[in-house]
PDB file of all heavy atoms in Angstrom:
ATOM      1  N   LYS B  42     -17.062  23.928  10.287  1.00 97.00           N
ATOM      2  CA  LYS B  42     -16.531  22.581  10.441  1.00 97.00           C
ATOM      3  C   LYS B  42     -15.747  22.443  11.744  1.00 97.00           C
ATOM      4  O   LYS B  42     -15.933  21.502  12.508  1.00 97.00           O
ATOM      5  CB  LYS B  42     -15.632  22.253   9.239  1.00 97.00           C
ATOM      6  CG  LYS B  42     -15.231  20.785   9.166  1.00 97.00           C
ATOM      7  CD  LYS B  42     -14.369  20.517   7.931  1.00 97.00           C
ATOM      8  CE  LYS B  42     -13.814  19.092   7.941  1.00 97.00           C
ATOM      9  NZ  LYS B  42     -12.817  18.887   6.865  1.00 97.00           N
ATOM     10  N   ARG B  43     -14.865  23.409  11.976  1.00 97.00           N
ATOM     11  CA  ARG B  43     -14.047  23.351  13.181  1.00 97.00           C
ATOM     12  C   ARG B  43     -14.884  23.443  14.446  1.00 97.00           C
ATOM     13  O   ARG B  43     -14.577  22.813  15.460  1.00 97.00           O
ATOM     14  CB  ARG B  43     -13.023  24.486  13.164  1.00 97.00           C
ATOM     15  CG  ARG B  43     -12.092  24.412  14.335  1.00 97.00           C
ATOM     16  CD  ARG B  43     -10.925  25.379  14.197  1.00 97.00           C
ATOM     17  NE  ARG B  43      -9.964  25.092  15.234  1.00 97.00           N
ATOM     18  CZ  ARG B  43      -8.690  24.795  15.030  1.00 97.00           C
ATOM     19  NH1 ARG B  43      -8.223  24.746  13.820  1.00 97.00           N
ATOM     20  NH2 ARG B  43      -7.892  24.535  16.037  1.00 97.00           N
ATOM     21  N   ALA B  44     -15.940  24.241  14.398  1.00 97.00           N
ATOM     22  CA  ALA B  44     -16.805  24.401  15.576  1.00 97.00           C
ATOM     23  C   ALA B  44     -17.813  23.266  15.669  1.00 97.00           C
ATOM     24  O   ALA B  44     -18.562  23.183  16.643  1.00 97.00           O
ATOM     25  CB  ALA B  44     -17.529  25.741  15.500  1.00 97.00           C
ATOM     26  N   GLU B  45     -17.844  22.404  14.677  1.00 96.00           N
ATOM     27  CA  GLU B  45     -18.825  21.327  14.594  1.00 96.00           C
ATOM     28  C   GLU B  45     -20.250  21.859  14.723  1.00 96.00           C
ATOM     29  O   GLU B  45     -21.020  21.447  15.592  1.00 96.00           O
ATOM     30  CB  GLU B  45     -18.533  20.261  15.662  1.00 96.00           C
ATOM     31  CG  GLU B  45     -17.211  19.563  15.396  1.00 96.00           C
ATOM     32  CD  GLU B  45     -16.875  18.515  16.454  1.00 96.00           C
ATOM     33  OE1 GLU B  45     -16.408  18.923  17.532  1.00 96.00           O
ATOM     34  OE2 GLU B  45     -17.069  17.317  16.186  1.00 96.00           O
ATOM     35  N   VAL B  46     -20.527  22.763  13.819  1.00 97.00           N
ATOM     36  CA  VAL B  46     -21.816  23.448  13.805  1.00 97.00           C
ATOM     37  C   VAL B  46     -22.268  23.527  12.359  1.00 97.00           C
ATOM     38  O   VAL B  46     -21.439  23.664  11.469  1.00 97.00           O
ATOM     39  CB  VAL B  46     -21.632  24.874  14.368  1.00 97.00           C
ATOM     40  CG1 VAL B  46     -22.806  25.748  14.017  1.00 97.00           C
ATOM     41  CG2 VAL B  46     -21.411  24.827  15.869  1.00 97.00           C
ATOM     42  N   HIS B  47     -23.514  23.427  12.104  1.00 97.00           N
ATOM     43  CA  HIS B  47     -23.992  23.548  10.727  1.00 97.00           C
ATOM     44  C   HIS B  47     -24.445  24.965  10.435  1.00 97.00           C
ATOM     45  O   HIS B  47     -24.599  25.783  11.335  1.00 97.00           O
ATOM     46  CB  HIS B  47     -25.100  22.535  10.470  1.00 97.00           C
ATOM     47  CG  HIS B  47     -24.612  21.114  10.497  1.00 97.00           C
ATOM     48  ND1 HIS B  47     -25.381  20.061  10.885  1.00 97.00           N
ATOM     49  CD2 HIS B  47     -23.402  20.590  10.219  1.00 97.00           C
ATOM     50  CE1 HIS B  47     -24.678  18.938  10.827  1.00 97.00           C
ATOM     51  NE2 HIS B  47     -23.467  19.244  10.428  1.00 97.00           N
ATOM     52  N   SER B  48     -24.634  25.179   9.155  1.00 97.00           N
ATOM     53  CA  SER B  48     -24.884  26.539   8.685  1.00 97.00           C
ATOM     54  C   SER B  48     -26.066  27.198   9.396  1.00 97.00           C
ATOM     55  O   SER B  48     -26.007  28.377   9.749  1.00 97.00           O
ATOM     56  CB  SER B  48     -25.126  26.503   7.180  1.00 97.00           C
ATOM     57  OG  SER B  48     -25.234  27.799   6.678  1.00 97.00           O
ATOM     58  N   GLY B  49     -27.119  26.425   9.613  1.00 96.00           N
ATOM     59  CA  GLY B  49     -28.308  26.971  10.274  1.00 96.00           C
ATOM     60  C   GLY B  49     -27.999  27.546  11.646  1.00 96.00           C
ATOM     61  O   GLY B  49     -28.456  28.646  11.988  1.00 96.00           O
ATOM     62  N   SER B  50     -27.203  26.821  12.417  1.00 97.00           N
ATOM     63  CA  SER B  50     -26.851  27.307  13.754  1.00 97.00           C
ATOM     64  C   SER B  50     -25.969  28.546  13.661  1.00 97.00           C
ATOM     65  O   SER B  50     -26.148  29.504  14.415  1.00 97.00           O
ATOM     66  CB  SER B  50     -26.109  26.220  14.532  1.00 97.00           C
ATOM     67  OG  SER B  50     -26.918  25.079  14.660  1.00 97.00           O
ATOM     68  N   PHE B  51     -25.023  28.461  12.725  1.00 98.00           N
ATOM     69  CA  PHE B  51     -24.105  29.599  12.588  1.00 98.00           C
ATOM     70  C   PHE B  51     -24.884  30.902  12.382  1.00 98.00           C
ATOM     71  O   PHE B  51     -24.681  31.882  13.106  1.00 98.00           O
ATOM     72  CB  PHE B  51     -23.153  29.357  11.403  1.00 98.00           C
ATOM     73  CG  PHE B  51     -22.146  30.446  11.209  1.00 98.00           C
ATOM     74  CD1 PHE B  51     -20.862  30.324  11.731  1.00 98.00           C
ATOM     75  CD2 PHE B  51     -22.467  31.606  10.503  1.00 98.00           C
ATOM     76  CE1 PHE B  51     -19.926  31.337  11.563  1.00 98.00           C
ATOM     77  CE2 PHE B  51     -21.539  32.621  10.333  1.00 98.00           C
ATOM     78  CZ  PHE B  51     -20.266  32.487  10.859  1.00 98.00           C
ATOM     79  N   TYR B  52     -25.779  30.880  11.401  1.00 98.00           N
ATOM     80  CA  TYR B  52     -26.496  32.122  11.081  1.00 98.00           C
ATOM     81  C   TYR B  52     -27.626  32.412  12.057  1.00 98.00           C
ATOM     82  O   TYR B  52     -28.247  33.469  12.002  1.00 98.00           O
ATOM     83  CB  TYR B  52     -26.958  32.101   9.625  1.00 98.00           C
ATOM     84  CG  TYR B  52     -25.796  32.329   8.686  1.00 98.00           C
ATOM     85  CD1 TYR B  52     -25.180  31.270   8.023  1.00 98.00           C
ATOM     86  CD2 TYR B  52     -25.268  33.600   8.496  1.00 98.00           C
ATOM     87  CE1 TYR B  52     -24.088  31.470   7.186  1.00 98.00           C
ATOM     88  CE2 TYR B  52     -24.180  33.815   7.667  1.00 98.00           C
ATOM     89  CZ  TYR B  52     -23.589  32.740   7.010  1.00 98.00           C
ATOM     90  OH  TYR B  52     -22.511  32.951   6.185  1.00 98.00           O
ATOM     91  N   HIS B  53     -27.891  31.455  12.933  1.00 97.00           N
ATOM     92  CA  HIS B  53     -28.805  31.778  14.032  1.00 97.00           C
ATOM     93  C   HIS B  53     -28.132  32.761  14.998  1.00 97.00           C
ATOM     94  O   HIS B  53     -28.778  33.660  15.538  1.00 97.00           O
ATOM     95  CB  HIS B  53     -29.198  30.496  14.773  1.00 97.00           C
ATOM     96  CG  HIS B  53     -30.021  30.753  15.992  1.00 97.00           C
ATOM     97  ND1 HIS B  53     -31.340  31.146  15.934  1.00 97.00           N
ATOM     98  CD2 HIS B  53     -29.712  30.701  17.313  1.00 97.00           C
ATOM     99  CE1 HIS B  53     -31.809  31.313  17.164  1.00 97.00           C
ATOM    100  NE2 HIS B  53     -30.831  31.043  18.016  1.00 97.00           N
ATOM    101  N   PHE B  54     -26.823  32.584  15.182  1.00 98.00           N
ATOM    102  CA  PHE B  54     -26.113  33.423  16.155  1.00 98.00           C
ATOM    103  C   PHE B  54     -25.455  34.661  15.548  1.00 98.00           C
ATOM    104  O   PHE B  54     -25.322  35.674  16.220  1.00 98.00           O
ATOM    105  CB  PHE B  54     -25.044  32.594  16.879  1.00 98.00           C
ATOM    106  CG  PHE B  54     -25.616  31.549  17.783  1.00 98.00           C
ATOM    107  CD1 PHE B  54     -25.552  30.213  17.443  1.00 98.00           C
ATOM    108  CD2 PHE B  54     -26.238  31.921  18.964  1.00 98.00           C
ATOM    109  CE1 PHE B  54     -26.084  29.244  18.277  1.00 98.00           C
ATOM    110  CE2 PHE B  54     -26.782  30.961  19.803  1.00 98.00           C
ATOM    111  CZ  PHE B  54     -26.711  29.618  19.464  1.00 98.00           C
ATOM    112  N   PHE B  55     -25.037  34.554  14.297  1.00 98.00           N
ATOM    113  CA  PHE B  55     -24.332  35.680  13.673  1.00 98.00           C
ATOM    114  C   PHE B  55     -24.956  35.983  12.328  1.00 98.00           C
ATOM    115  O   PHE B  55     -25.090  35.079  11.498  1.00 98.00           O
ATOM    116  CB  PHE B  55     -22.847  35.343  13.493  1.00 98.00           C
ATOM    117  CG  PHE B  55     -22.177  34.971  14.776  1.00 98.00           C
ATOM    118  CD1 PHE B  55     -21.966  33.654  15.122  1.00 98.00           C
ATOM    119  CD2 PHE B  55     -21.776  35.970  15.673  1.00 98.00           C
ATOM    120  CE1 PHE B  55     -21.364  33.310  16.330  1.00 98.00           C
ATOM    121  CE2 PHE B  55     -21.169  35.631  16.878  1.00 98.00           C
ATOM    122  CZ  PHE B  55     -20.970  34.307  17.216  1.00 98.00           C
ATOM    123  N   LYS B  56     -25.301  37.206  12.124  1.00 97.00           N
ATOM    124  CA  LYS B  56     -25.957  37.516  10.861  1.00 97.00           C
ATOM    125  C   LYS B  56     -24.966  37.601   9.697  1.00 97.00           C
ATOM    126  O   LYS B  56     -25.366  37.598   8.535  1.00 97.00           O
ATOM    127  CB  LYS B  56     -26.817  38.784  10.980  1.00 97.00           C
ATOM    128  CG  LYS B  56     -26.074  40.095  10.908  1.00 97.00           C
ATOM    129  CD  LYS B  56     -27.087  41.280  10.822  1.00 97.00           C
ATOM    130  CE  LYS B  56     -26.466  42.442  10.049  1.00 97.00           C
ATOM    131  NZ  LYS B  56     -25.211  42.913  10.653  1.00 97.00           N
ATOM    132  N   SER B  57     -23.695  37.638   9.987  1.00 98.00           N
ATOM    133  CA  SER B  57     -22.686  37.689   8.920  1.00 98.00           C
ATOM    134  C   SER B  57     -21.318  37.332   9.479  1.00 98.00           C
ATOM    135  O   SER B  57     -21.111  37.306  10.703  1.00 98.00           O
ATOM    136  CB  SER B  57     -22.627  39.091   8.307  1.00 98.00           C
ATOM    137  OG  SER B  57     -22.119  39.992   9.259  1.00 98.00           O
ATOM    138  N   LYS B  58     -20.384  37.075   8.568  1.00 98.00           N
ATOM    139  CA  LYS B  58     -19.007  36.804   8.978  1.00 98.00           C
ATOM    140  C   LYS B  58     -18.416  38.014   9.701  1.00 98.00           C
ATOM    141  O   LYS B  58     -17.659  37.862  10.656  1.00 98.00           O
ATOM    142  CB  LYS B  58     -18.181  36.485   7.715  1.00 98.00           C
ATOM    143  CG  LYS B  58     -16.754  36.055   7.964  1.00 98.00           C
ATOM    144  CD  LYS B  58     -16.023  35.862   6.624  1.00 98.00           C
ATOM    145  CE  LYS B  58     -14.564  35.501   6.809  1.00 98.00           C
ATOM    146  NZ  LYS B  58     -13.843  35.462   5.495  1.00 98.00           N
TER     147      LYS B  58
END
Side-chain angles (χ1 to χ4, degrees):
Chain B
K42 191 179 173 189
R43 184 170 190 123
E45 294 179 281
V46 164
H47 293 150
S48 186
S50 300
F51 182 97
Y52 286 100
H53 174 73
F54 292 107
F55 303 99
K56 80 171 209 302
S57 68
K58 185 184 177 186

